[in-house]
Amino acid sequence: MMENHVLGVNCGWQIGGLPFNKYSWLVTHNSFSIVGAPALPGVQRFTFYNQEDTVTNQLKNGVRGLMLDMYDFNGDIWLCHSFRGQCFNFTAFQPAINTLREVEAFLSKNPSEIVTIIIEDYVHTPKGLTKLFKNAGLDKYWFPVSKMPKKGEDWPTVTEMVKANHRLLVFTSVASKEEEEGIAYQWKYLLENEAGDPGVKPGSCPNRKESQPFNSKTASLFLMNYFPTYPVEDEACKEHSARLADRIRTCYKAAGSMMPNFLAVNFYLRSDGGGVFYDLDSMSGQRLCGCNTIAACQAGAPFGSCKNISMPTPSPMTNSVGSFSGPVQFSTSTSTVYHPNHLMIALFSFPWMISLFF
C-alpha cells in the first residue's frame, strides 16, 4: 500500500482490518473546479473555483473522495460548476471522462486504494452515467449497490473491499438512478450536514435537508461538509486551522458521537497551521486506537493505550499562499497567487451586475 498522506505516516497495520465506515477520508469539494484550468476556446469562464491542483495530484496527495458536478453538455457528459441545473459554455470545465480516466489510472497503479465519487447529478441521458463509467474503465472497480449496508450495519472491511476489487464507491443525488442504473442514492447511505455558509457557522452543525436526520439508524456513513458558499483561497488558510478542529467536534456531537467518514473541503492544501491532514490524523487516531494521532497507536495494544510521543505544534507560515500539510504535488508553481473568485463574489454581492453578463 502506498504511504497514506491523509494519516501522515506509513501505517499499513492499522489500515484494512476495520470496516470501511470506521475510517475518515479526505474529500475535495468540486474537485474538477481548478484554478487555471483552460476554458473552452474563445470563452471567458464565469464561475467559482474550489481547488488548485489536478485530480491526479489530489489523489497522490491523499484525497480519497471527489465531488463532481455532472451535466449533459455538447452531446456528452461534462463537469460544470454551474447553476439552474444547466451547463453553459462559460461554466464548463471538461468532459467528465477525462477526470474519470485520471481516477482509473490511480486505482490501476495503486491496487490497495479505495476512491469515493459523489455526483451532483444533472445528467438526463438514459443510462448516461453507466456508459460513462464503463467507457472510463471504472466498472471493474465498482462496489455493487446490492452489497451496500442499508440498515446502519457496518460496511465490509477495507481488506475485504480490496480483495474483491470493490474499490470505487459512487453516489448520485438522483434517487431513481439506484434502480435504473445501479448507482447508490447518496442520502440513502450517507448522513450529511448542511453545505455552504450554514455548514461553517461556529457552534452549529445543521442537518442537510435532503439527508436523513442525524439520529437515523439506517445510514452508517457521515459526510461532513466544511466549505463556505463563496470560496476564497486566502480565507481557506484560516478556515482549515483552529476553526476546522472546532467544527469537527461540533458535528461529532450533533451526529450523536459519530465521527465524520468524509471531510469535504475547498483548497485542501491551505492552512495557517494544522490543516486538514492534521485533523484527519487526529480523527483517525481516535477511531483506530483512541489516541490523538495515529502515530501513537500500538499494534496489539488495548484501545486507548498510546505511545508517549511529542505532538508537533502547528505553527502558521508567513508564506503568502499558506502552509501545506504532508507531502504534496502541484500542477503548477505556487509562487503566483491568483484569486479569480474575488470577482465572482463581488458580482454575486450585487446581483444587478450579473444581469450585465446574461
Side-chain angles (χ1 to χ4, degrees), residues 274-295:
V276 295
F277 294 104
Y278 184 90
D279 288 308
L280 279 163
D281 174 41
S282 178
M283 282 197 292
S284 297
Q286 293 175 52
R287 279 180 174 279
L288 296 174
C289 62
C291 304
N292 288 331
T293 170
I294 197 170

Side-chain angles (χ1 to χ4, degrees), residues 20-60:
F20 180 78
N21 57 297
K22 301 300 182 183
Y23 299 97
S24 297
W25 314 96
L26 177 58
V27 177
T28 45
H29 172 233
N30 289 333
S31 315
F32 62 93
S33 187
I34 299 165
V35 173
L40 293 175
V43 176
Q44 176 65 48
R45 185 178 288 122
F46 184 82
T47 191
F48 287 106
Y49 297 87
N50 303 85
Q51 305 301 332
E52 296 171 293
D53 59 344
T54 66
V55 166
T56 293
N57 282 346
Q58 291 174 34
L59 293 169
K60 287 180 179 178

Side-chain angles (χ1 to χ4, degrees), residues 155-282:
W155 284 65
T157 67
V158 168
T159 299
E160 291 167 343
M161 292 169 67
V162 168
K163 185 176 180 180
N165 207 30
H166 293 159
R167 298 190 292 120
L168 179 68
L169 280 68
V170 183
F171 298 96
T172 173
S173 57
V174 178
S176 62
K177 291 193 179 180
E178 179 158 333
E179 182 176 348
E180 295 168 356
E181 300 193 53
I183 303 174
Y185 177 50
Q186 175 178 347
W187 293 295
K188 185 175 180 179
Y189 303 92
L190 277 73
L191 303 178
E192 185 176 355
N193 69 310
E194 194 63 68
D197 289 345
V200 297
K201 182 180 179 181
S204 68
C205 187
N207 206 126
R208 181 164 180 163
K209 62 179 182 298
E210 296 94 341
S211 169
Q212 300 177 57
F214 284 148
N215 61 4
S216 170
K217 302 301 181 183
T218 61
S220 49
L221 293 172
F222 177 23
L223 166 61
M224 177 182 152
N225 293 306
Y226 184 72
F227 48 84
T229 301
Y230 300 136
V232 178
E233 294 93 320
D234 45 4
E235 286 298 314
C237 296
K238 300 174 184 177
E239 292 160 3
H240 295 166
S241 300
R243 297 180 191 176
L244 174 56
D246 290 342
R247 170 60 46 176
I248 291 171
R249 285 190 288 269
T250 299
C251 285
Y252 172 78
K253 293 177 182 177
S257 300
M258 186 176 186
M259 195 74 76
N261 300 102
F262 301 106
L263 175 62
V265 299
N266 294 327
F267 309 117
Y268 72 101
L269 291 172
R270 290 177 174 263
S271 77
D272 281 334
V276 295
F277 294 104
Y278 184 90
D279 288 308
L280 279 163
D281 174 41
S282 178

